[in-house]
Amino acid sequence: MQKIIKKIALPLMVLFAILAGWQLVANNVEEFPTPYYTWVAAFGGVNAEEMEIKGVLSDPFYVENEDDKGIAWQIMNSLGRVFGGFALAILVGIPVGLVIGMSQSFMQALNPYIQILKPVSPLAWLPLLLMVFQDINLTAVATIFITSIWPIIINTSLGVRSVDQDYLNVAKVLQFTPLETIRKIILPVAVPYIFTGMRLSLGIAWLVIVAAEMLTGGIGIGFWIWDEYNNLNYPNIIIGIIIVGVVGYILDVIMGKIADFFDYRKRA
């Protein structure tokens, strides 16, 4: 019972501290939205101008026209781009990581370029990719692919290199083919590392999409936040930030559960 109380009470205490700090900032910064007016902007009510407004979350699936849709459609469009780039990163990153982990020559050949490209900001890739694809969706997917592939490659190769040499010697004695060695020896050990890389990659992908959509436009949560800024709807900006954080948290929890399911150590 004490543990349950702590799990509930401690986060609530932090929440109250955040709200108090938020209110303090709102009291000292002109036009900064208070927690109450942000709540009204989210769920509806009377705003600071004493006008009855309809909250952003009160009808998240509305469709006014192609460029004016509810927040749920914005999130789904962003997730579609995220999963497109993330899927490509998995399809390319895992095989490349396996090859790098199994071959010292490939490791020496590719590692310098991985270390050079890995820290490049997604905002640096956007103009070049937009020039190449001339399409906002393809540009966003390609940006996510390029920036989220590195954790998958690095963690996959790390998982391969963590395989005990004795197991590989047994595979040689039993005359396993390379595919049999990968399937029966390497993958069972490397899978937890691979899913850790995928978990990090998905977090990066969701982080990147907001910045990408702010610059490329279109339908998506990033562009929605930027559009609300242009319209001076500051409470909606905070709502967008909270939504981005909540969706990112949900994605991380889902990937964590999937990783635990495939981790033979935790299942044992």
Side-chain angles (χ1 to χ4, degrees):
M1 182 60 69
Q2 289 181 343
K3 290 182 179 179
I4 294 174
I5 292 174
K6 281 186 176 181
K7 285 184 178 180
I8 297 174
L10 294 178
L12 284 177
M13 291 172 60
V14 174
L15 176 61
F16 289 141
I18 292 172
L19 292 175
W22 182 355
Q23 184 66 50
L24 182 63
V25 172
N27 291 338
N28 290 277
V29 178
E30 188 178 357
E31 295 187 2
F32 196 93
T34 65
Y36 171 74
Y37 288 125
T38 302
W39 176 273
V40 170
F43 299 102
V46 180
N47 65 4
E49 288 77 28
E50 297 184 356
M51 297 173 56
E52 186 74 23
I53 64 169
K54 187 176 182 180
V56 171
L57 302 179
S58 59
D59 187 12
F61 289 96
Y62 83 87
V63 178
E64 186 68 28
N65 53 57
E66 190 61 31
D67 297 323
D68 186 7
K69 296 182 178 180
I71 192 67
W73 299 112
Q74 309 285 346
I75 295 170
M76 286 190 283
N77 274 271
S78 295
L79 287 174
R81 299 184 184 109
V82 165
F83 286 123
F86 179 60
L88 287 175
I90 292 173
L91 291 175
V92 176
I94 292 178
V96 172
L98 289 172
V99 170
I100 291 176
M102 296 172 63
S103 171
Q104 189 66 25
S105 297
F106 273 98
M107 175 68 177
Q108 293 174 346
L110 297 179
N111 186 60
Y113 303 101
I114 293 174
Q115 300 306 323
I116 290 172
L117 295 174
K118 179 166 63 78
V120 176
S121 168
L123 300 181
W125 289 105
L126 269 174
L128 185 64
L129 295 174
L130 192 58
M131 182 192 71
V132 172
F133 294 107
Q134 298 182 5
D135 180 86
I136 58 175
N137 289 318
L138 291 178
T139 299
V141 169
T143 304
I144 290 168
F145 164 72
I146 292 175
T147 53
S148 65
I149 192 174
W150 312 119
I152 296 177
I153 293 176
I154 293 171
N155 281 273
T156 300
S157 62
L158 179 62
V160 173
R161 291 197 300 271
S162 68
V163 177
D164 196 309
Q165 187 61 42
D166 291 339
Y167 295 154
L168 298 176
N169 293 335
V170 170
K172 292 179 182 178
V173 171
L174 296 176
Q175 297 183 340
F176 281 1
T177 64
L179 287 178
E180 286 177 326
T181 302
I182 292 173
R183 183 169 60 88
K184 297 181 178 180
I185 303 295
I186 293 176
L187 279 181
V189 177
V191 158
Y193 293 87
I194 293 173
F195 274 95
T196 298
M198 290 169 59
R199 188 175 182 179
L200 294 171
S201 177
L202 184 58
I204 292 173
W206 183 242
L207 181 71
V208 167
I209 191 61
V210 176
E213 289 175 345
M214 281 184 174
L215 294 181
T216 58
I219 299 296
I221 187 64
F223 175 73
W224 184 83
I225 292 174
W226 188 250
D227 191 49
E228 294 304 309
Y229 168 74
N230 290 329
N231 293 327
L232 303 180
N233 290 330
Y234 299 119
N236 287 0
I237 296 174
I238 296 178
I239 293 169
I241 292 171
I242 294 173
I243 289 173
V244 169
V246 170
V247 173
Y249 172 73
I250 293 172
L251 292 176
D252 184 70
V253 169
I254 292 173
M255 279 302 302
K257 296 295 183 182
I258 296 173
D260 290 344
F261 176 80
F262 285 99
D263 192 337
Y264 69 93
R265 297 168 300 182
K266 293 186 177 179
R267 282 192 295 172

